[in-house]
Amino acid sequence: MANAADTYTLKNSNNIEVTFIARGGQITGIKVPNTRGEMADVVIGYETTEKALAGDAYFGALCGRYANRIVNGQFELNGEKIQLDTNNGSNHLHGGNDGFNLRTWDVEEVDLPQFAQAYKLMLVSPDGDQNYPGELTTVVTYGLTEDNELVIEYDAVSTKDTIINLTSHAYFNLAGAGTGTIAEHELTLNADKFTPIDGEIGTVTGEILDVEKSAMDFRSAKKIGEALSADCPQVKLVDGIDHNFVINGFDGMLKLAARLEHEASGRAMEVYTDQPGIQIYTGSHFDGSETGKLGNPIEKWAGLAMETQIFPDSPNKEHFPDATLKAEEHYKHTCVYKFI
Ligand code: BGC
């Protein structure tokens, strides 16, 4: 059994270093060079593991069993009404009050030829955990390639029919965590459509709208700051972006979902996934009251989360992708964060 604070590091020969802890599989640091070879830690968080354990438990964490929101924590499965616990107003968010981000995962280093270094993280969630049906066994692989890709592979199997939506919740700042906001970062999304929200708590309306002519249009590279200051009701609701985007051409194969670039610091990254959606969250709830890396306050818009996933509230929206996991079948999900 691992201890919450146990710390693991993935390295490759280009000096990239990914650090995570057993609690929540939380990625606490990703050090990458820029075009001039200067290193920076590009995920926001705290300066010590002790602080990470006491602080915002979503930073870099594995979220489940259902990442994102389920309205009123309710859904129906095989004709049975299920009530999950609620931890976000009346909603269920990121697996509830005791989500996978708060669990201590078993961690084991594995030797896989495609990776410079890799670890497997394992968690067994009992039948009825947070009221979810079925005992769910989840195995997540964190692998770092020599092509500077952090690959996150999810595999989960349940003893009963259930629902599932796992994701990783790192917030990126390519200038370096603690150096300012992501307003000057340029974002490109491979998404013609997004799912609007209905209030500041961020639940989806069920509509799927075109991004065209809206602040949500990132089909070509655009400064995030431009969207943050846009006169757009969807942006105003959440003081930024906290929206699920529909990745173009979903067919279950790995696709480019997002590209983030910060020209001044000479760093860029791409996100690939085989999932239908990506939640883009600008970290609007940070208020500077906590001290993060470099000893600086974690301010509003300090980092950008790019959470590959099924859509929010899919179990209650028939026209959204199906989040059902049938008993004994495998849920599979790959997310690649490639540093350029
Ligand atoms: C959600 C935000 C929420 C945050 C919590 C994000 O994935 O979209 O609404 O505040 O997680 O850290």
Side-chain angles (χ1 to χ4, degrees):
M1 262 301 280
N3 293 311
D6 288 353
T7 304
Y8 308 86
T9 304
L10 296 147
K11 288 183 189 169
N12 72 5
S13 48
N14 306 318
N15 293 326
I16 296 214
E17 236 182 78
V18 178
T19 306
F20 67 96
I21 58 173
R23 206 283 305 266
Q26 268 185 282
I27 295 170
T28 51
I30 302 183
K31 290 188 183 139
V32 296
N34 65 3
T35 39
R36 300 178 290 275
E38 298 152 350
M39 303 299 288
D41 185 347
V42 296
V43 288
I44 69 166
Y46 304 95
E47 287 197 300
T48 63
T49 302
E50 206 182 7
K51 285 187 180 153
L53 289 172
D56 186 323
Y58 292 125
F59 281 0
L62 293 169
C63 299
R65 292 187 186 189
Y66 199 96
N68 219 311
R69 294 181 172 83
I70 296 180
V71 175
N72 295 327
Q74 294 169 347
F75 65 99
E76 228 180 277
L77 185 66
N78 299 336
E80 194 194 331
K81 282 197 168 63
I82 294 171
Q83 176 70 60
L84 303 169
D85 67 337
T86 53
N87 60 332
N88 179 248
S90 59
N91 302 309
H92 178 85
L93 175 70
H94 296 329
N97 287 301
D98 188 19
F100 283 6
N101 59 310
L102 293 173
R103 310 291 170 89
T104 296
W105 294 62
D106 270 323
V107 183
E108 182 185 298
E109 186 163 6
V110 284
D111 198 2
L112 296 168
Q114 66 272 38
F115 298 126
Q117 215 175 343
Y119 288 90
K120 271 196 192 312
L121 296 83
M122 286 152 290
L123 184 71
V124 178
S125 160
D127 187 8
D129 193 0
Q130 314 293 296
N131 275 348
Y132 285 101
E135 180 186 274
L136 186 80
T137 302
T138 303
V139 179
V140 177
T141 306
Y142 283 165
L144 181 65
T145 70
E146 290 295 358
D147 290 329
N148 302 343
E149 297 156 321
L150 170 62
V151 180
I152 305 178
E153 290 170 351
Y154 303 82
D155 179 308
V157 62
S158 168
T159 55
K160 293 182 185 163
D161 290 0
T162 191
I163 58 161
I164 190 164
N165 184 32
L166 304 176
T167 200
S168 168
H169 206 302
Y171 293 88
F172 296 92
N173 185 322
L174 297 174
T179 64
T181 75
I182 38 99
E184 289 297 309
H185 283 52
E186 289 194 341
L187 177 67
T188 316
L189 295 175
N190 179 24
D192 295 343
K193 294 179 188 296
F194 77 108
T195 53
I197 54 175
D198 59 8
E200 60 183 23
I201 200 81
T203 45
V204 288
T205 63
E207 295 159 287
I208 298 177
L209 298 183
D210 288 334
V211 297
E212 196 170 5
K213 298 197 183 98
S214 83
M216 299 294 156
D217 191 350
F218 287 94
R219 290 172 300 169
S220 44
K222 184 171 88 182
K223 282 210 174 132
I224 296 174
E226 208 182 294
L228 294 174
S229 60
D231 186 17
C232 165
Q234 284 289 311
V235 169
K236 293 219 174 330
L237 275 176
V238 284
D239 199 8
I241 301 168
D242 191 3
H243 291 81
N244 167 63
F245 288 78
V246 180
I247 297 164
N248 292 335
F250 167 68
D251 59 4
M253 305 297 285
L254 218 53
K255 292 210 159 29
L256 177 69
R259 181 184 163 87
L260 185 67
E261 182 162 5
H262 188 247
E263 215 186 310
S265 59
R267 291 189 193 87
M269 66 183 288
E270 288 173 345
V271 185
Y272 295 82
T273 187
D274 53 9
Q275 294 297 292
I278 186 166
Q279 181 83 8
I280 299 294
Y281 179 47
T282 48
S284 309
H285 73 282
F286 304 137
D287 60 6
S289 59
E290 283 199 286
T291 304
K293 291 179 181 172
L294 305 181
N296 289 328
I298 302 174
E299 56 185 319
K300 184 164 81 168
W301 307 330
L304 187 74
M306 296 179 280
E307 307 156 49
T308 59
Q309 55 168 9
I310 302 176
F311 298 179
D313 203 33
S314 279
N316 294 307
K317 306 277 188 291
E318 262 176 30
H319 55 298
F320 280 8
D322 190 4
T324 311
L325 175 65
K326 292 267 179 217
E328 308 305 337
E329 289 184 1
H330 282 260
Y331 163 85
K332 298 265 186 197
H333 168 178
T334 301
C335 169
V336 180
Y337 292 120
K338 182 179 170 78
F339 300 96
I340 295 156

